[in-house]
Amino acid sequence: MSLVELIAQADERGLAASGLACLDRCVPLLGGDDEILRPLWASLAESEGWGEDWGERVEQARAKLDVPGVGVGAGVPGGRGFAEGEASVLAHRMLGAVPVDRGAGNLREWADACSVAALQIHRLLDAASDGASSVTARREGRTQDMSPLVAAELRRQIAILEVLSAHGPAGLRQALALSTEGRRVLRAVVSRRARGRV
């Protein structure tokens, strides 16, 4: 199935985990440490009444990550490059849009938006050019001439939704591992681009 189809079929916990994983991979653009979203993962892992403290933990993460001024001044001489600035803005929008209400409609809309934003972020930061005019084609399964960073992010998003669909809560550990791997990749890309501007 395409990524769009997987999101359409996911349950509430799968949608929350999918969106959270996209946000987690983009933490390097938010200025947070690697454990900053761990309480939200823990909320999803609760077997009964999962996510009862989701809203509270969302607000705590926002308070820690949404630092005023981050992502502002993209492309300013001596500041962050244009691509990094745009990517940071997209990551902050993902964080700002996390629904505190765990209703399926809210979570599906957020997970879908996170999927698009995460792919766009990887596209902005990829040194290679991506052949498609938008990430929509990638999400629908048209993967010809994909750039390496975008291709890897698409594979991660699909793999996370597939493992959650197949294993439910038991798949969260593997989903987190996939997301952690992606975060390391993005952190390395951001660091490499920063060194290139020095």
Side-chain angles (χ1 to χ4, degrees), residues 59-102:
E59 295 298 348
Q60 289 171 354
R62 281 200 186 115
K64 292 176 182 175
L65 282 172
D66 207 10
V67 181
V70 175
V72 176
V76 174
R80 307 178 80 172
F82 176 78
E84 290 86 346
E86 287 292 297
S88 177
V89 167
L90 287 170
H92 276 82
R93 283 182 187 158
M94 290 165 63
L95 176 64
V98 182
V100 292
D101 175 7
R102 294 176 294 121

Side-chain angles (χ1 to χ4, degrees), residues 5 13 29 34 43 64 73 79 83 92 116 126 145 157 192:
E5 291 169 324
R13 193 187 323 234
L29 294 163
D34 289 350
S43 182
K64 292 176 182 175
H92 276 82
V116 171
D126 202 337
D145 300 324
Q157 289 192 25
R192 186 165 60 246

Side-chain angles (χ1 to χ4, degrees), residues 40-176:
L40 281 167
W41 284 104
S43 182
L44 294 181
E46 294 162 4
S47 56
E48 294 183 14
W50 74 269
E52 289 181 353
D53 53 1
W54 170 265
E56 180 184 343
R57 293 183 182 189
V58 166
E59 295 298 348
Q60 289 171 354
R62 281 200 186 115
K64 292 176 182 175
L65 282 172
D66 207 10
V67 181
V70 175
V72 176
V76 174
R80 307 178 80 172
F82 176 78
E84 290 86 346
E86 287 292 297
S88 177
V89 167
L90 287 170
H92 276 82
R93 283 182 187 158
M94 290 165 63
L95 176 64
V98 182
V100 292
D101 175 7
R102 294 176 294 121
N106 292 333
L107 287 170
R108 198 175 311 280
E109 183 179 350
W110 177 63
D112 195 60
C114 284
S115 167
V116 171
L119 285 166
Q120 186 62 28
I121 284 168
H122 285 74
R123 191 177 187 193
L124 282 165
L125 299 180
D126 202 337
S129 175
D130 188 68
S133 58
S134 74
V135 297
T136 302
R138 303 316 190 191
R139 298 175 73 245
E140 293 174 348
R142 298 193 292 277
T143 57
Q144 186 176 3
D145 300 324
M146 290 183 76
S147 62
L149 206 59
V150 175
E153 172 60 14
L154 181 67
R155 283 194 301 271
R156 274 187 212 92
Q157 289 192 25
I158 289 172
I160 285 169
L161 283 161
E162 286 178 341
V163 75
L164 292 169
S165 174
H167 303 291
L172 282 168
R173 186 179 296 274
Q174 189 175 347
L176 178 57

Side-chain angles (χ1 to χ4, degrees), residues 78-81 84 190-198:
R80 307 178 80 172
E84 290 86 346
V190 170
S191 177
R192 186 165 60 246
R193 290 177 67 95
R195 287 197 304 272
R197 293 195 306 275
V198 173

